[in-house]
Amino acid sequence: MALLKILIDTNVYFRLAQSIHPLLRTSFGTPPHQLAITEDLEKEFKSNSRLHLKFGWFTQTEYVDNRRGVLTLSNKQKKQFKEDWDTINGIANQLGYVDLSKEDINGIVYALILNVRLVTDDLGMRDVALQLGVSVMSTLELLKLMVDHSHIELKTAKAIAGYWSAMADSPSDLKAQFKKIFGED
């Protein structure tokens, strides 16, 4: 059975990696799903001192080891990546999302080229990706997928959402979205 890779963006990684460990390279469900990142996650962390302060655990061996094996592109896909990047950046600008980062655009291009689902709570990334036909889901929808495939329990999803709320680092409209997706508070 083919493995369904799911690309998660930086925010999703930071919101889930401590609560669901190991987060990456662990298959769940039928057909098997597996979360993945690109090399941009490491680059973003290294270039952002705020992330160093907030996520000190990032450099611990168990998390470093779990992040090995990022999504990669073949030489042909790398050429396509360069061609698509400018086009997608232009589409983002036309849609009014001039603040999407290089890494955000990269994530959309990876998802498009590799034909994988993209998980992000960034509304600009979502809108641009959807314009291009990329399959997109939110972090809460990912948690629901994990619950539905018995990878985590509902109480874990609730605890994670509660933590986000307490830390004031949650996807927009968390309470209403949780109720909509999970059917309960």
Side-chain angles (χ1 to χ4, degrees):
M1 198 173 295
L3 182 65
L4 299 175
K5 293 275 188 172
I6 300 172
L7 175 59
I8 61 172
D9 79 357
T10 300
N11 287 334
V12 174
Y13 177 82
F14 284 119
R15 286 182 176 150
L16 297 179
Q18 274 197 295
S19 302
I20 304 171
H21 187 72
L23 181 64
L24 308 171
R25 300 183 320 157
T26 301
S27 298
F28 63 92
T30 304
H33 298 74
Q34 190 177 80
L35 304 182
I37 57 171
T38 68
E39 62 190 15
D40 283 334
L41 179 68
E42 298 289 334
K43 291 176 183 176
E44 282 188 78
F45 182 81
K46 287 177 183 175
S47 68
N48 188 325
S49 59
R50 184 185 66 78
L51 294 178
H52 290 238
L53 295 172
K54 191 171 181 179
F55 304 107
W57 53 264
F58 187 86
T59 57
Q60 293 174 4
T61 303
E62 65 187 293
Y63 295 102
V64 172
D65 289 346
N66 187 239
R67 290 191 306 273
R68 296 193 197 291
V70 299
L71 289 178
T72 57
L73 300 174
S74 68
N75 287 335
K76 182 179 178 182
Q77 290 169 326
K78 286 177 184 175
K79 183 179 179 187
Q80 185 67 44
F81 181 95
K82 290 176 184 176
E83 293 172 11
D84 289 350
W85 200 95
D86 288 333
T87 301
I88 293 173
N89 188 48
I91 291 169
N93 288 329
Q94 286 175 351
L95 293 173
Y97 297 112
V98 295
D99 59 341
L100 285 184
S101 70
K102 174 185 174 211
E103 293 80 13
D104 291 341
I105 301 292
N106 289 353
I108 296 167
V109 178
Y110 264 87
L112 182 66
I113 290 174
L114 296 173
N115 194 28
V116 297
R117 183 177 274 177
L118 174 64
V119 182
T120 183
D121 295 314
D122 182 301
L123 297 178
M125 279 184 77
R126 289 178 64 87
D127 287 350
V128 173
L130 289 169
Q131 284 283 329
L132 297 162
V134 173
S135 176
V136 181
M137 66 188 326
S138 68
T139 308
L140 285 175
E141 290 168 324
L142 174 60
L143 289 176
K144 177 72 164 113
L145 180 70
M146 291 176 163
V147 168
D148 289 349
H149 286 287
S150 302
H151 185 56
I152 63 170
E153 295 180 10
L154 178 58
K155 69 180 182 178
T156 302
K158 286 181 175 183
I160 291 168
Y163 177 75
W164 294 340
S165 185
M167 297 304 293
D169 181 28
S170 63
S172 62
D173 203 13
L174 176 64
K175 189 171 183 162
Q177 287 301 310
F178 194 93
K179 185 169 181 75
K180 177 182 173 187
I181 293 166
F182 287 92
E184 57 183 84
D185 293 325

